[in-house]
Amino acid sequence: MKLKYFAHSAFQITADNGKIILIDPFLDGNPKSPVKSDDVKADYIILSHAHGDHLGDSFKIAKREKPLFICVNELADYCASKGFKAHNMHIGGGYDFDFGRVKFTIAHHGSQTPDGTYAGEPAGIIISNGKTIYHTGDTGLFYDMKLIGEMNSIDYMLIPIGDNYTMGITDAVKAVEFVNPKTVIPMHYNTFDVISVDPKEFKKKVEEKGINCRIMGFGEEIEL
Ligand code: NI
Ligand code: MN
């Protein structure tokens, strides 16, 4: 499995079977992404929630790539209403796709599409295929992360640190302690002035707790 970071909360997973999964593909409006929507392929698009910086360029990409959307029920219905293929799921549920298993967790946030449509509850995403990735979505700190960490052996936790809309560094460090992943990767920072933080400060604090932190470059891809 390979993981590529497009800045903000946008990632690309290339599964062992070659399938390409985009998570929250916010590219064209994302000043930090070196990759734009015309440049990506997608077999699947998984969305944590419907805010514009997560739904992003999903529909533009989907018109060309015809991916399957994987999201909570209300957001999946919204994607289907625009003419796209969608697999409806919901929080607490998991399903085995050809690239691996996807399970949705709670996230404390909102979820409304850019046109004002209610899109159900926001979610975190656990993707397993040999390695397990937990993309928390946009969320504040919550104590049930401890349970998520107890019930899943998380290899890579992708966590927002930018503050204002989500956890900031202090809360994110506590969230990492709760989940106890093998490696944590910060996200949702420095895209806009309002979420400017120093990821090295996060890395230092989290490594003081004995957890490995990998700051991914914008556009960087790593082998998991
Ligand atoms: Ni959001
Ligand atoms: Mn966001």
Side-chain angles (χ1 to χ4, degrees):
M1 217 170 13
K2 285 193 291 190
L3 180 71
K4 188 168 186 175
Y5 186 38
F6 297 132
H8 208 58
S9 299
F11 289 85
Q12 170 182 290
I13 291 171
T14 306
D16 294 338
N17 68 357
K19 294 293 167 75
I20 293 176
I21 302 107
L22 300 181
I23 305 173
D24 291 356
F26 171 55
L27 304 174
D28 294 348
N30 177 349
K32 294 289 160 54
S33 176
V35 173
K36 296 303 167 196
S37 62
D38 287 341
D39 307 325
V40 293
K41 296 195 176 308
D43 297 298
Y44 298 90
I45 294 178
I46 308 179
L47 299 174
S48 65
H49 65 296
H51 287 156
D53 57 321
H54 298 261
L55 183 63
D57 306 297
S58 292
F59 294 161
K60 190 176 168 203
I61 295 164
K63 277 194 185 108
R64 186 183 70 239
E65 297 290 320
K66 314 271 187 273
L68 180 67
F69 280 90
I70 303 171
C71 355
V72 299
N73 184 65
E74 293 82 355
L75 181 51
D77 278 352
Y78 179 77
C79 296
S81 78
K82 302 292 181 189
F84 302 113
K85 294 181 290 177
H87 181 102
N88 297 40
M89 294 182 67
H90 231 305
I91 290 161
Y95 187 82
D96 292 316
F97 295 88
D98 64 356
F99 62 85
R101 184 169 179 81
V102 175
K103 184 174 181 180
F104 283 104
T105 73
I106 59 171
H108 288 296
H109 194 66
S111 186
Q112 188 181 40
T113 67
D115 68 10
T117 306
Y118 169 69
E121 294 296 310
I125 309 155
I126 297 175
I127 302 169
S128 322
N129 176 7
K131 296 279 169 57
T132 299
I133 298 168
Y134 172 29
H135 183 299
T136 68
D138 279 3
T139 186
L141 175 63
F142 58 93
Y143 197 69
D144 284 358
M145 282 184 168
K146 214 169 159 54
L147 183 62
I148 292 170
E150 279 173 21
M151 295 190 69
N152 302 274
S153 177
I154 305 294
D155 293 294
Y156 295 89
M157 180 180 187
L158 318 180
I159 189 172
I161 63 165
D163 217 343
N164 193 74
Y165 302 111
T166 67
M167 288 182 270
I169 288 175
T170 303
D171 285 9
V173 170
K174 179 56 77 175
V176 174
E177 285 187 81
F178 284 163
V179 173
N180 193 30
K182 291 195 181 67
T183 299
V184 63
I185 295 170
M187 65 176 179
H188 211 274
Y189 67 92
N190 290 358
T191 325
F192 312 113
D193 288 347
V194 73
I195 56 171
S196 288
V197 299
D198 181 2
K200 292 201 205 71
E201 182 191 335
F202 172 71
K203 180 179 167 74
K204 182 168 173 285
K205 288 184 171 165
V206 100
E207 289 187 341
E208 281 168 10
K209 306 287 182 186
I211 293 165
N212 183 46
C213 176
R214 174 74 188 253
I215 300 171
M216 287 186 73
F218 301 151
E220 185 181 5
E221 183 166 50
I222 58 175
E223 184 76 43
L224 304 188

